[in-house]
Amino acid sequence: MKVGQANSTDVRQAEASRLSTETSLQDLLQQTHELENSLSTLIGRTPGNIERGKLDQQTFPQELSVGVPLSLLATRPDVRSAEASLEQAFYATHVARSAFYPSITLSGTAGWTNSGGSSIVNPGAWLLQAIGSLVQPLFNRGANRANLKIAQAQQEEALTTYRQTLLDAGGEVNNALTQWQTARKKIELENEQIDQLQSTLRSTELLMQHGTVNYLEILVARRSLLSARLNLVADRYAEIEGVINLYHALGGGVS
């Protein structure tokens, strides 16, 4: 095969790759329109185009605190729910333990009075009733002990759930921070890569003008530059997504 024929074949292959890319672009445009229609329906407006800015125009924090105080997790709904369950289990244990003791209040200065503060006409009869109240928890000790064990087990379960909820919340926060940090580092490297590829493309175009290289090498250089720019856009999106994920992981707020 002659050199001219080889170059012509390479150019046709490059053209086929371009057409394939444009086909993929049509799929992306379709997905964009469908998403716009879904968002329009969600906010109660007629489906149609949604005006929006460019990715580079989006402003997000340039620095985030690596150490996130544990108190910030208290705003998460799952953490608040687990904390409420723990409080409920704690008070249930307290009630079960108090069942071992009679609900009688003795007062040395008020004389013989009942729980309402009224004087007792027949202290003897009341004393027999009081003794029954004193020994009742003893006769019911088996049931009280079982209730106490159940309450203690439920409290331990609630405590374990609360701890696990905090661990899961902390893991989500750490993942969001890691995503943001990784994307920032990749963006820095990709910007340097794009600068190098742009310089390579300019050099290749100059060499072609002097007949040293063919047009295929320019196509390869342009394709490499395009691929690097696409990677930069993807990582820029990952950076923004990391900030949003951190916002959600902290229960709707980030400081």
Side-chain angles (χ1 to χ4, degrees):
M1 181 180 297
K2 297 181 180 180
V3 177
Q5 293 176 339
N7 290 339
S8 176
T9 301
D10 293 334
V11 170
R12 286 197 296 268
Q13 289 178 348
E15 180 66 15
S17 298
R18 182 187 67 82
L19 294 173
S20 176
T21 302
E22 291 188 358
T23 302
S24 300
L25 179 60
Q26 296 303 315
D27 293 334
L28 292 176
L29 291 175
Q30 178 185 351
Q31 295 175 10
T32 300
H33 291 314
E34 292 176 353
L35 182 58
E36 288 177 336
N37 292 337
S38 298
L39 291 175
S40 298
T41 303
L42 183 64
I43 61 178
R45 52 165 285 185
T46 303
N49 182 58
I50 297 179
E51 296 294 333
R52 55 191 179 277
K54 297 182 179 180
L55 187 62
D56 293 337
Q57 297 174 343
Q58 306 303 315
T59 57
F60 282 86
Q62 297 299 313
E63 294 183 2
L64 295 177
S65 176
V66 176
V68 176
L70 191 62
S71 58
L72 291 180
L73 300 180
T75 59
R76 289 174 55 108
D78 55 344
V79 174
R80 295 179 62 182
S81 176
E83 184 177 359
S85 297
L86 179 59
E87 292 177 353
Q88 180 182 7
F90 173 80
Y91 289 118
T93 303
H94 178 72
V95 171
R97 183 178 288 109
S98 64
F100 282 88
Y101 306 96
S103 56
I104 294 179
T105 302
L106 301 179
S107 176
T109 59
W112 296 91
T113 58
N114 58 20
S115 58
S118 302
S119 299
I120 297 176
V121 180
N122 189 349
W126 179 87
L127 184 59
L128 291 177
Q129 182 180 0
I131 293 176
S133 299
L134 285 172
V135 299
Q136 182 178 1
L138 300 179
F139 291 115
N140 199 31
R141 190 176 184 85
N144 289 340
R145 184 182 293 111
N147 292 334
L148 178 60
K149 289 183 177 180
I150 293 174
Q152 289 174 336
Q154 291 174 342
Q155 179 179 343
E156 186 65 26
E157 180 182 4
L159 178 60
T160 302
T161 301
Y162 179 68
R163 289 173 176 171
Q164 187 61 47
T165 302
L166 285 178
L167 290 175
D168 294 340
E172 292 182 17
V173 171
N174 188 66
N175 290 339
L177 283 173
T178 301
Q179 179 183 2
W180 178 84
Q181 292 170 343
T182 302
R184 293 280 295 179
K185 183 61 178 178
K186 292 175 67 177
I187 289 174
E188 180 182 348
L189 296 174
E190 285 162 353
N191 282 325
E192 295 180 5
Q193 180 188 19
I194 289 175
D195 290 340
Q196 295 295 328
L197 290 174
Q198 287 176 334
S199 177
T200 300
L201 178 59
R202 288 192 297 267
S203 299
T204 305
E205 290 174 342
L206 289 174
L207 290 174
M208 181 183 176
Q209 292 177 3
H210 294 82
T212 306
V213 300
N214 54 37
Y215 187 68
L216 177 62
E217 296 186 36
I218 294 181
L219 293 177
V220 172
R222 289 179 176 176
R223 183 170 59 184
S224 298
L225 179 58
L226 175 61
S227 177
R229 286 174 173 170
L230 291 176
N231 290 336
L232 177 62
V233 171
D235 288 321
R236 173 61 175 155
Y237 176 80
E239 176 193 15
I240 296 175
E241 188 180 39
V243 176
I244 296 174
N245 290 339
L246 180 60
Y247 183 87
H248 286 292
L250 291 174
V254 56
S255 60

